[in-house]
């Protein structure tokens, strides 16, 4: 008898647990969509399986929430598996939408992609633009001015102490301690490392003879840390540490004001957007394949050159039209002013809508999805 | 008579030294445990509210939100894993103890020992590859997660149940044979009631082995921010994966993510505690039953 009671209680608890979450109120089809649903006339149902760049995760949380407010029956999943896996799964058909920190190579855009209809165009849009901050841990120092050459010499291990004459000369106002520099880099493959090394290669000239890659040059020493949070923890825990990480995560540490030419620029959403706006589009791509060729040598005093541009890759024509409608609707929200502002607020990114030309091209590419 | 009077000074010193060393070792072992508990409780306390147990993360941006979808996912996947492992694991143990003769049990024991040391990520990768080959790329489901966890749990259940079954005194078997019982009667009416409470403990040991696993679930069960109670299709969140994703992929409001991760860790420890207490209760209830 006692055993039966125990089992009954267990069943009751599980039944209670498997009910809906309080914030997931079951909706029925007849309810009219809320008035705020401006970009979608029809109510959609279904699941979008997306994944890839982990840099976009927080932004997708914001986009998903905003999108689901007007489309409560659509579930959007975003796996932060990394850009390479995202592109691979998009090719295989595992994802119908992929996030990637590196655009697809030009000779790969023709496909074939499993989720796309045969002969479909590829849609590739810069959805997430974010500054990469160079954070450091020096007691009482909130900001330092360093130019590309100095940054390259620090990260290549050539400058090993904070009171090195070259750093002191660039920061005469700051009292720099006699402390060793611990340069921290990412141990895993990362779009952040790719953009950081690309910046050094473009802007530091001969001071950075190393390759531009997603993995940190193996010939260099320094401390390795896993993922953005690893770098963040390492900087916070190590006096004298310096490392590069997404600007939204560089809280509670000093950050570098990057010198370019005669001027120096601190990282901000506006300065990152300015760098993207001042860069040309990559040539030789179709009108729906919008890829920015970042120019990291601008000296206008407004552009912050260490910028990560992360793309979303989708089909122009989906094999399944229902999926096409879901993706089009979601991407429509992602690139809208509201969507970009949500991401800016929640993930600290810089809205692409700041640049009307670019966002016009992107909106046109998304509008063509079916 | 006090025995210390008979000890020489040197032996007394050695005795005292050993006592101090052993007691010190106990305290040293307790330090990380207590430290861990204090840290998790103090940091997890911030979000230990009603919303955490009633909300999922669907539509949540920044602060707030909860982990009910991950709690349900953990319970469901753990239950499914147990359902897979108990018949296989206990059945294998009964075979090994009651039937196994010759080379086959030796091979099984060897394979079980190898599987016990299987890194969890390898189990996840294997199931991932199998699922991708059968169901197509991008497939994620709670059941696939349970399959991966089964690879980790079955060896634990086999080795522990085998030990329990071997503890059943041989004279009970001999007495049953003497009364003319068949093998099947001996196992179901003599050995099974005798070993049941121990086998429940063995299963609980297996559950504790897998309930905190992250790596295989990350690969094959994926994670979602919405509730999913269907084990057969779609991504299903679990608490360890929830902790990992909250910690690893933070938005600009860092504290909100940290707090959710710590509270989920506290809930996971609480869940293990509930399982442990429940297993003790089951053991007590089953062992106090009169044997037939």
């Amino acid at each position: 008898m006692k055993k039966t009671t125990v089992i009954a209680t267990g069943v009751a608890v599980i039944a209670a647990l498997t009910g809906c979450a309080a914030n997931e109120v079951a909706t029925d089809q007849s309810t009219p969509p809320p008035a705020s649903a401006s970009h979608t006339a029809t109510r959609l149902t279904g699941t979008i399986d997306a994944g890839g760049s982990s840099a976009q995760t927080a932004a997708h949380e914001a986009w998903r929430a905003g999108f689901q407010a007007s489309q409560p029956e659509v579930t959007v999943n975003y796996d932060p598996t990394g850009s390479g896996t995202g592109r691979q799964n998009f090719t295989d058909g595992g994802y119908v939408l992929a996030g990637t920190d590196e655009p697809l190579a030009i000779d790969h855009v023709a496909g074939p992609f499993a989720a796309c209809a045969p002969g479909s165009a590829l849609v590739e849009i810069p959805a997430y633009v974010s500054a990469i901050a160079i954070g450091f841990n020096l007691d009482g120092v909130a900001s330092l001015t360093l130019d590309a050459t100095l940054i390259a010499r620090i990260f290549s291990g050539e400058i090993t102490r904070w009171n090195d004459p070259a750093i002191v000369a660039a920061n005469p106002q700051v009292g720099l301690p006699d402390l060793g520099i611990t340069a921290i880099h990412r141990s895993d493959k990362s779009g952040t490392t790719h953009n950081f090394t690309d910046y050094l290669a473009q802007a530091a000239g001969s001071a950075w003879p190393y390759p531009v890659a997603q993995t940190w040059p193996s010939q260099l020493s320094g401390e390795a840390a896993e993922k953005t949070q690893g770098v963040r923890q390492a900087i916070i825990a190590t006096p004298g540490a310096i490392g590069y990480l997404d600007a939204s995560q560089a809280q509670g540490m000093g950050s570098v004001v990057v010198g370019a030419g005669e001027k120096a620029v601190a990282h901000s959403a506006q300065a990152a957007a300015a760098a993207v706006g001042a860069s040309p589009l990559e040539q030789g791509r179709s009108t729906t394949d919008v890829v920015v060729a970042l120019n990291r040598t601008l000296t206008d005093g407004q552009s912050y050159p260490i910028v990560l541009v992360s793309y979303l890759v989708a089909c122009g024509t989906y094999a399944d039209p229902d999926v096409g409608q879901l993706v089009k609707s979601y991407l429509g929200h992602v690139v809208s002013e509201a969507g970009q502002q949500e991401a800016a607020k929640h993930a600290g990114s810089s809205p692409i809508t700041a640049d009307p030309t670019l966002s016009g091209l992107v909106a046109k590419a998304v509008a063509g999805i079916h | 008579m006090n025995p210390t009077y008979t000890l020489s000074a040197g032996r007394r010193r050695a005795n005292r030294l050993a006592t101090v060393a052993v007691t010190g070792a106990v305290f040293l072992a307790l330090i990380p445990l207590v430290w861990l508990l204090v840290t998790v409780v103090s940091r997890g306390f911030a979000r230990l509210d009603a919303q955490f147990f009633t909300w999922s993360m669907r539509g949540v941006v920044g602060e707030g939100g909860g982990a009910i979808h991950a709690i349900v996912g953990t319970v469901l996947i753990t239950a499914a894993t147990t359902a897979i492992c108990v018949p296989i694991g206990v059945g294998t143990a009964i075979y090994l103890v009651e039937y196994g003769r010759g080379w086959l049990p030796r091979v099984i024991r060897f394979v079980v020992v190898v599987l016990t040391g299987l890194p969890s990520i390898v189990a996840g990768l294997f199931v991932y590859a199998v699922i991708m080959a059968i169901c197509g790329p991008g497939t994620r489901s709670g059941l696939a997660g349970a399959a991966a966890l089964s690879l980790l749990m079955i060896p634990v259940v086999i080795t522990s149940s085998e030990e329990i079954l071997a503890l059943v005194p041989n004279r009970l078997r001999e007495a049953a044979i003497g009364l003319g019982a068949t093998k099947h009667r001996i196992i179901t009416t003599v050995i099974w009631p005798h070993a049941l409470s121990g086998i429940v403990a063995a299963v609980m040991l297996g559950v504790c082995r897998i309930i905190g696993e992250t790596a295989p679930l990350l690969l094959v069960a994926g994670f979602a921010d919405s509730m999913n109670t269907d084990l057969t299709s779609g991504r299903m969140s679990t608490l360890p994966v929830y902790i990992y994703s909250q910690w690893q992929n933070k938005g600009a409001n860092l504290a909100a993510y940290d707090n959710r991760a710590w509270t989920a860790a506290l809930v996971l420890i609480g869940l293990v505690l509930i399982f442990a207490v429940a297993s003790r209760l089951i053991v007590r209830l089953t062992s106090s039953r009169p044997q037939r």
Side-chain angles (χ1 to χ4, degrees), chain A residues 22 24 61 72 79 251 346, chain B residues 54 56 58 225 227 235 252 257:
Chain A
E24 292 180 39
E61 276 175 24
D79 298 342
Q251 305 171 20
H346 179 55
Chain B
T54 49
S56 67
R58 189 181 176 107
D225 59 2
M227 175 76 90
R235 278 142 232 262
Y257 288 81

Side-chain angles (χ1 to χ4, degrees), chain B residues 172-224:
Chain B
L172 287 184
R173 292 189 184 86
E174 285 155 6
I177 293 169
L179 289 170
T182 57
K183 191 105 189 170
H184 141 255
R185 299 272 303 173
I186 299 175
I187 291 170
T188 52
T189 62
V190 177
I191 293 170
W192 186 250
H194 200 274
L196 187 56
S197 57
I199 285 176
V200 171
V203 170
M204 283 302 153
L205 208 62
V207 167
C208 292
R209 165 79 177 81
I210 54 114
I211 198 168
E213 276 299 339
T214 317
L217 291 174
L218 205 56
L219 279 173
V220 293
F223 65 86

Side-chain angles (χ1 to χ4, degrees), chain A residues 177-225:
Chain A
D178 181 15
L179 183 68
I181 297 178
T182 309
I184 293 159
H185 59 83
R186 289 277 292 266
S187 61
D188 50 327
K189 270 174 91 174
S190 159
T192 313
T193 302
H194 184 262
N195 281 280
F196 184 63
T197 50
D198 185 45
Y199 158 72
L200 292 176
Q202 280 193 32
S206 59
W208 186 258
Y210 306 102
V212 175
Q214 286 182 298
T215 38
W216 188 249
S218 56
Q219 60 266 51
L220 295 179
S221 57
E223 293 281 319

Side-chain angles (χ1 to χ4, degrees), chain A residues 240-334:
Chain A
I242 184 167
Y244 56 93
L245 72 172
D246 192 281
S248 70
Q249 303 296 310
Q251 305 171 20
M253 56 181 80
S255 67
V256 169
V257 176
V258 173
E262 298 297 304
K263 294 174 176 138
V265 191
H267 71 77
S268 70
Q270 293 81 358
V276 174
S279 298
L281 289 183
E282 199 172 302
Q283 295 300 302
R285 292 182 182 259
S286 74
T287 51
T288 58
D289 189 4
V290 187
V291 173
V292 181
L294 279 169
N295 178 0
R296 304 184 195 271
T297 55
L298 298 161
T299 52
D300 55 13
Q302 290 160 21
S303 310
Y304 182 79
I306 321 174
V307 176
L308 168 82
V309 179
S310 193
Y311 296 84
L312 280 171
V313 181
C315 302
T317 311
Y318 279 89
D320 180 349
D322 292 340
V323 172
Q325 212 182 359
L326 284 174
V327 173
K328 178 184 184 172
S329 172
Y330 180 59
L331 286 185
H333 178 72
V334 166

